[in-house]
Amino acid sequence: MKINFEHALLKENIADYQDRVNEIHELLFKRECKGNDFLGWLDWPYDYDKEEFARIKEVGKEIRENADVLLVCGIGGSYLGARSAIEMMKGLYPDDKPEIIYTGNGLSSTYLYQVLNHIKGKSVYLNVISKSGTTTETAVAFRLFQQYIEETYGEEEASKRIIATTDKARGTLKNLADVKGYREFVIPDDMGGRYSVFSAVGLIPIAAAGLDIEELFKGCQKAYEDFRTPDLSKNIAYQYAVARRILENQCKGIELFVSYEPSMTMIAEWWKQLFGESEGKEGKGLYPASVTFTTDLHSMGQFIQEGTKSLFETVLTLENPMHDIIFPEDKENLDNMNYLAGKNIDWVNKMACQGTVEAHVETGNVPNILISMKDNSEFSYGYMIYFFFRACAMSVLMLDVNPFNQPGVEVYKKNMFRLLGKPAK
Amino acid sequence: MKINFEHALLKENIADYQDRVNEIHELLFKRECKGNDFLGWLDWPYDYDKEEFARIKEVGKEIRENADVLLVCGIGGSYLGARSAIEMMKGLYPDDKPEIIYTGNGLSSTYLYQVLNHIKGKSVYLNVISKSGTTTETAVAFRLFQQYIEETYGEEEASKRIIATTDKARGTLKNLADVKGYREFVIPDDMGGRYSVFSAVGLIPIAAAGLDIEELFKGCQKAYEDFRTPDLSKNIAYQYAVARRILENQCKGIELFVSYEPSMTMIAEWWKQLFGESEGKEGKGLYPASVTFTTDLHSMGQFIQEGTKSLFETVLTLENPMHDIIFPEDKENLDNMNYLAGKNIDWVNKMACQGTVEAHVETGNVPNILISMKDNSEFSYGYMIYFFFRACAMSVLMLDVNPFNQPGVEVYKKNMFRLLGKPAK
């Protein structure tokens, strides 16, 4: 992974923040920073539960062999990590089973109705993911699909087709899974949803999609090693963390995450949760937004180029695409496109990227931070995720904000429970 | 359609802008406003080409009867209108053919490769949509799929399966379609891409999806009638236009479009192009962002509730969902969800919405403009789109900006063409 600040239009030196970064780095690893009860993700690249990891590989294989459809039933961090991984590594039109459908992440009756219809006659597995089991979106969908699976396969077979990822010791879903005899996997106590993709939360769907979760951990471990040092001349995660704050000082209030692959649109959604939920507190934080280029150059491009100068871009690109195509010759050349014949389409995409950076930075005066990954492999994905974890923690702690809680998410729930007439426990 | 400003925390009266609105309304209908050469959409609800409309219905029917897959090949306004309409009115898991795949709207080789693979063995139609035929994204994809269709069905059959929506008189695609004998439909000269969904650009895919385009025009016409008057006590499109400017005066630089249906996510994308491309000029404009709730309450909810106070929300809801489900009883009640048994899930969604508005406005101090539509019918969709057209034109003209051009989109293209070595004409 490489990061390039040449087009970031930074008006301060990143290196000038070394003292502050050293201080936070030390607090982080001494577990004395704000939110220090939620640092389970920090040493996870080595500290993960190996016995459970082996069980995850097994259940992933079983789902893959038996399911036409895997329903992933969870919201927020309980689906975004898995979905971002699966789409990025397999693309939007993979040619194998199982089809993975995300549910329990909203309350649209239309969506639930259509999914119930869509899965009829197919072999269905379900992975329900909830720490407490009381999250309304997930609980509503889970009851519908659980009843469907029990009616379709009978109770005994259903208890094999439903897998619960939940608290290790207590809670509504834990109790339910015990009674029903579901296989159970653990959401660690000291890991918030947005930091949970390397736990069973993300790993079961990722393994079921046929991806190599060992390679994922290798990438994660490599990042861990690379980011041991707080030295700002070496640690690119901390460089990015500091650059965000410098651009905020330059009155850029919006960070726009840019990719050039539609299969990375969910990486952007995952990133928005990571940064938005970590730093959007106490009236602070950069607003995290996203676009997929070149698609959205034809919708949001005008604003970025010439609109209010309130944003900077963080561009994440792949050096090597999953698939490439050589653009074919056409003897009639009625479309005048023969000048590209024999070129790789990925090369055309890269020239579009280069031309866009130049347009936005030089003509539009919009700062661009450029991050590039080698490819969309499991290793690279693991590395990239841990990069963002560490960058986010550092960047938010620089604001003196707790990066690991989300008190504001409770407000709508409290109101909703009152309106729904939910009984007090 | 209804609009509610009770939670918009407006510090000025909308009615105080009546003189300015009258002035702009008059300039608009006299065709003397900025950008007056692109007002084809204004009287289009009645002025459309009836003969072409009949041909669109026919070709839609033919595609529907014969295609497993319809490839829509276009970028920006050449796909966002159709996609927003089809997803909103049919949902994300419709149970009929044709499957509609959007292509020509990016340069990802991975995406193109997978789509080429995915359509093998299926009956394919293609609608290519480009005014000039020289848009790189669309031209690259078109050559690939055109060659695939010609190889699969032979040239003669291919000329029936490929439909071109393009300039009426000239251009690369027009010439190509003439030579190949494709059926041709017109992109009007005086209508920008983001205002084109009611022309053949949007209507062919919408008709092919089995939707009633006559009803769509009826909704559009009703909106036209309702918005004849510039009176701010009656014209809700103009009310919305003014409210946006008032909130901008209150230092809200981001407008966040909110829906509660995943099938309306593309409405948000269409809306972002409409507003972002219309007003993001001369260093001006509100940054248009979007979320789908309740899904994104578990990612962006924290920021909205407690982060930087830089945004307001525009919430678009449906009074009646496409499908509803009664939440079932469970005799064991292990999930403690029986308190919702017998309730409609759409009602639960509505309570979530109500609780969220209360949380964001009263606790979070975030202004909310609430817009509600009766349902997701063709009539309601047509009405809503014309509402946004008129609101956008008014709101942008209030900034003294031309709402109908997009000069900034050309900058990246110019750079890209240089890097690609595109020959000068």
Side-chain angles (χ1 to χ4, degrees), chain B residues 207-259:
Chain B
L211 295 161
D212 184 341
I213 58 176
E214 297 209 14
E215 274 298 304
L216 205 108
F217 267 82
K218 282 184 196 158
C220 204
Q221 288 164 354
K222 179 69 166 68
Y224 187 93
E225 296 305 325
D226 287 354
F227 306 146
R228 267 187 195 277
T229 172
D231 184 342
L232 277 171
S233 70
K234 294 178 185 144
N235 186 320
I236 61 171
Y238 288 175
Q239 287 172 13
Y240 171 57
V242 171
R244 297 178 75 248
R245 296 276 81 93
I246 292 175
L247 289 166
E248 189 176 46
N249 293 344
Q250 293 172 212
C251 294
K252 303 300 177 188
I254 300 169
E255 180 173 7
L256 185 58
F257 185 95
V258 178
S259 74

Side-chain angles (χ1 to χ4, degrees), chain B residues 96-116:
Chain B
D96 59 354
K97 290 193 299 184
E99 178 183 11
I100 298 175
I101 298 181
Y102 302 90
T103 181
N105 59 354
L107 291 166
S108 163
S109 53
T110 299
Y111 183 81
L112 289 166
Y113 181 98
Q114 289 196 320
V115 171
L116 273 165

Side-chain angles (χ1 to χ4, degrees), chain A residues 75-76 79 90-93 95 101 105-115 117-118 137 139-140 143-144 147 172 176 179-180 254 256 261-262 273 276-277 280-289 294-295 297-300 302-303 305-308 311 321-325 327-330 332-339 345-349 351-352 354-356 358-359 363 406-409 411-413 415-416 418-423 425, chain B residues 75-76 79 90-93 95 101 105-115 117-118 137 139-140 143-144 147 172 176 179-180 254 256 261-262 273 276-277 280-289 294-295 297-300 302-303 305-308 311 321-325 327-330 332-339 345-349 351-352 354-356 358-359 363 406-409 411-413 415-416 418-423 425:
Chain A
I75 192 164
Y79 88 100
K90 306 213 37 155
L92 297 179
Y93 289 94
D95 56 5
I101 298 180
N105 61 353
L107 291 165
S108 163
S109 53
T110 299
Y111 184 80
L112 289 165
Y113 181 97
Q114 289 196 320
V115 172
N117 231 20
H118 179 80
E137 289 85 347
V140 162
R143 181 181 280 197
L144 293 178
Q147 290 193 352
T172 305
L176 185 151
V179 172
K180 293 284 191 177
I254 300 169
L256 185 58
E261 294 289 344
Q273 182 189 14
E277 202 162 271
K281 285 158 210 172
E282 305 173 22
K284 297 179 187 172
L286 291 163
Y287 183 84
T294 63
T295 307
L297 285 170
H298 292 249
S299 57
M300 293 298 298
Q302 170 65 37
F303 189 99
Q305 191 70 50
E306 299 189 340
T308 309
L311 60 85
M322 175 159 50
H323 299 291
D324 208 348
I325 295 178
F327 190 68
E329 180 90 24
D330 189 284
E332 292 177 284
N333 196 30
L334 292 168
D335 55 6
N336 295 322
M337 294 298 286
N338 269 354
Y339 79 100
I345 291 180
D346 186 63
W347 174 82
V348 179
N349 203 12
M351 293 305 102
Q354 207 176 305
T356 302
E358 191 186 314
T363 314
Q406 52 284 330
V409 180
V411 192
Y412 99 89
K413 293 186 194 170
N415 294 339
M416 177 177 71
R418 190 190 72 237
L419 293 163
L420 294 177
K422 184 178 180 175
K425 291 277 274 196
Chain B
I75 194 165
Y79 88 100
K90 305 213 41 158
L92 297 180
Y93 289 95
D95 56 5
I101 298 181
N105 59 354
L107 291 166
S108 163
S109 53
T110 299
Y111 183 81
L112 289 166
Y113 181 98
Q114 289 196 320
V115 171
N117 232 21
H118 179 80
E137 290 86 347
V140 163
R143 182 182 280 198
L144 293 178
Q147 289 193 352
T172 305
L176 184 152
V179 172
K180 293 285 190 178
I254 300 169
L256 185 58
E261 295 288 345
Q273 182 190 13
E277 202 162 274
K281 284 159 211 172
E282 305 173 23
K284 298 179 189 173
L286 292 163
Y287 182 85
T294 63
T295 306
L297 285 169
H298 293 248
S299 58
M300 292 297 300
Q302 170 65 38
F303 189 100
Q305 190 70 50
E306 298 188 340
T308 308
L311 61 85
M322 176 159 50
H323 298 292
D324 208 347
I325 294 178
F327 191 67
E329 181 91 23
D330 188 285
E332 292 177 284
N333 196 31
L334 292 167
D335 56 5
N336 296 322
M337 293 298 286
N338 268 353
Y339 79 99
I345 291 181
D346 186 62
W347 175 81
V348 179
N349 204 12
M351 293 304 102
Q354 207 175 307
T356 302
E358 193 186 311
T363 312
Q406 52 284 329
V409 179
V411 192
Y412 99 89
K413 293 187 195 171
N415 294 339
M416 177 177 72
R418 190 191 70 238
L419 293 163
L420 293 177
K422 185 176 179 175
K425 290 279 273 196

